[in-house]
Amino acid sequence: MKPSTLVPQSVLPTPAPKVGGGPRRRAFAMLVAVAVVMGALAIICSLALGYPLRDPDGFLGPAWIRLPLLVAGAFVADVVPRTLWRARGNPGRLKAEALLLIREHWTRERIILVVVGIVSFYVTYVSYRNIKNFLPFIMRDGDGPPTKYDYALHRFDHVLLFGNDPSTLLHHWLGTGISAYVLSWVYLIFLPMVPVSIVVWAVWSRNVSFGYWFITAQCICWALGTASYYAIPTLGPNFFFPWLYSDLPDTGVAKLQDSLFYARTNVLFNPFADGVQSTAGFASLHVAITVSLALVAQYTLRTRVLRIVLWAYVVLVTISTTYFGWHYIADDIAGLAIALVAVYLAALGTGQKFDRRGRSSHPTTSTSEVPVDATD
């Protein structure tokens, strides 16, 4: 029996409709362009400084191993659970159901999205980490210390809050006990959430263009965030005014901040250091990435509960950035601005059309082919 006979013909994949006439472009064009620009900037900075490029997250080995693993992991995560569910415990149906599922979901367009999306994100993110690592060496006054604007942003916080420090207010309102541990978990979950969300949108987005929209928006956030570090270089409140946070317990965030402080010191003063420094305050990419995640979800997810959970997560992340002294208020505002710009530009680049004055949207394509002048 052929796998196609196991389900009605109506659920089998059909060729995606063509989207209008005239010239077309690829939905991944902007995504690839961002990755290429970021990669080129990282290489230029490395050559100019004589400082090697490094893979900051090498726990899975070199890139030529990690990238196939990410793609294979996405494939397995999609096919295996759903095959087991469809087979309903019948071993004889496993192969047929797996082949049918692959035929249904892993189309040529889906494979292109997964491969191009993950590779472009990886190039963008690794370039971001390396360019961020070069920040203290590029943004400095001659042979003096690296340029920093922490005092200016600290004073801006006090102006906004009538002479009060935002972290002191949050420690008073929320306390420094259980709330510190909860917010620490909220902040740290961001680290695995970033790559996981990329894979989720690449593999399970119900429209291919939604996957391109999300991944493109994320990469634009990383790129604009990199530019913001050089526009207004800062260390962040916890690193510049550490006494304001001495009342906090020894949470996971505290350990992370200590490791970043020592990593920065090692890179600055040890010519043989092989790590990267990741300390930069303006703008908050925790805010930018989580807001862009919630925004794209608002337009593309049908489940209202998930949208509410993501917006609640945005609020908690924003609070945690100030509570632990990662960022000034201006950093969070800039992060919000970056998210709005990134989501809008990515929508234009991937063929999304906004409706009802921006309150909803619809895709103009279900493939990587996007009409140059997309119309309703």
Side-chain angles (χ1 to χ4, degrees):
M1 178 183 295
K2 295 182 179 180
S4 59
T5 62
L6 298 177
V7 294
Q9 289 293 319
S10 60
V11 303
L12 294 177
T14 57
K18 292 296 181 181
V19 286
R24 293 177 174 82
R25 53 182 166 77
R26 291 292 184 177
F28 54 72
M30 183 179 291
L31 171 63
V32 173
V34 171
V36 169
V37 170
M38 288 291 288
L41 288 175
I43 293 172
I44 292 171
C45 291
S46 174
L47 293 175
L49 294 172
Y51 204 103
L53 292 173
R54 294 193 171 97
D55 188 341
D57 301 309
F59 62 95
L60 287 179
W64 61 271
I65 292 178
R66 188 182 312 116
L67 289 177
L69 282 177
L70 287 173
V71 175
F75 178 82
V76 171
D78 178 62
V79 173
V80 172
R82 292 205 287 165
T83 297
L84 294 174
W85 174 258
R86 288 185 175 192
R88 296 293 197 278
N90 185 349
R93 292 178 54 187
L94 289 176
K95 182 178 179 180
E97 293 292 353
L99 292 175
L100 178 60
L101 196 152
I102 292 171
R103 182 183 172 189
E104 288 176 2
H105 188 69
W106 287 87
T107 61
R108 178 176 178 271
E109 288 289 347
R110 179 67 60 177
I111 293 172
I112 293 174
L113 166 61
V114 171
V115 174
V116 174
I118 290 178
V119 171
S120 296
F121 166 75
Y122 177 81
V123 171
T124 302
Y125 179 73
V126 171
S127 300
Y128 153 82
R129 291 291 301 273
N130 278 275
I131 299 173
K132 187 178 184 180
N133 181 47
F134 301 145
L135 178 62
F137 305 104
I138 296 177
M139 298 301 296
R140 64 194 315 159
D141 185 11
D143 294 329
T147 303
K148 295 180 285 290
Y149 293 92
D150 286 87
Y151 279 120
L153 295 189
H154 185 64
R155 288 195 297 270
F156 182 65
D157 277 359
H158 283 216
V159 170
L160 291 178
L161 299 177
F162 306 102
N164 295 297
D165 186 82
S167 61
T168 302
L169 292 178
L170 286 176
H171 296 170
H172 176 71
W173 293 337
L174 301 178
T176 55
I178 186 64
S179 57
Y181 290 95
V182 172
L183 289 175
S184 174
W185 180 86
V186 167
Y187 191 88
L188 294 177
I189 200 67
F190 174 87
L191 301 177
M193 182 273 295
V194 171
V196 168
S197 65
I198 294 293
V199 172
V200 167
W201 248 270
V203 174
W204 289 290
S205 56
R206 57 189 172 88
N207 186 298
V208 167
S209 72
F210 290 164
Y212 285 122
W213 184 9
F214 176 76
I215 300 173
T216 302
Q218 295 285 290
C219 288
I220 292 175
C221 282
W222 293 113
L224 293 179
T226 305
S228 74
Y229 295 153
Y230 283 81
I232 305 179
T234 65
L235 290 180
N238 186 277
F239 297 98
F240 214 83
F241 309 98
W243 56 88
L244 295 174
Y245 306 91
S246 59
D247 59 335
L248 294 178
D250 188 24
T251 63
V253 162
K255 293 181 174 63
L256 177 60
Q257 288 172 329
D258 288 343
S259 68
L260 293 180
F261 173 79
Y262 292 120
R264 176 182 171 85
T265 302
N266 191 38
V267 168
L268 288 178
F269 301 107
N270 180 6
F272 303 104
D274 59 358
V276 296
Q277 77 85 26
S278 299
T279 304
F282 186 91
S284 171
L285 283 186
H286 266 66
V287 172
I289 294 298
T290 54
V291 169
S292 65
L293 168 62
L295 270 177
V296 176
Q298 184 68 35
Y299 286 110
T300 62
L301 294 187
R302 291 170 172 167
T303 306
R304 185 169 180 264
V305 172
L306 287 178
R307 299 198 301 267
I308 293 174
V309 168
L310 289 175
W311 282 115
Y313 178 64
V314 169
V315 172
L316 291 174
V317 165
T318 304
I319 293 173
S320 68
T321 63
T322 305
Y323 183 90
F324 291 110
W326 289 106
H327 294 290
Y328 304 99
I329 294 176
D331 301 350
D332 291 341
I333 295 173
L336 172 61
I338 285 175
L340 295 176
V341 171
V343 169
Y344 180 71
L345 291 179
L348 296 181
T350 58
Q352 314 301 321
K353 292 285 288 186
F354 290 103
D355 311 308
R356 300 192 303 155
R357 297 183 179 180
R359 287 176 292 173
S360 62
S361 70
H362 70 272
T364 62
T365 179
S366 60
T367 72
S368 65
E369 290 189 346
V370 180
V372 173
D373 296 314
T375 61
D376 294 335

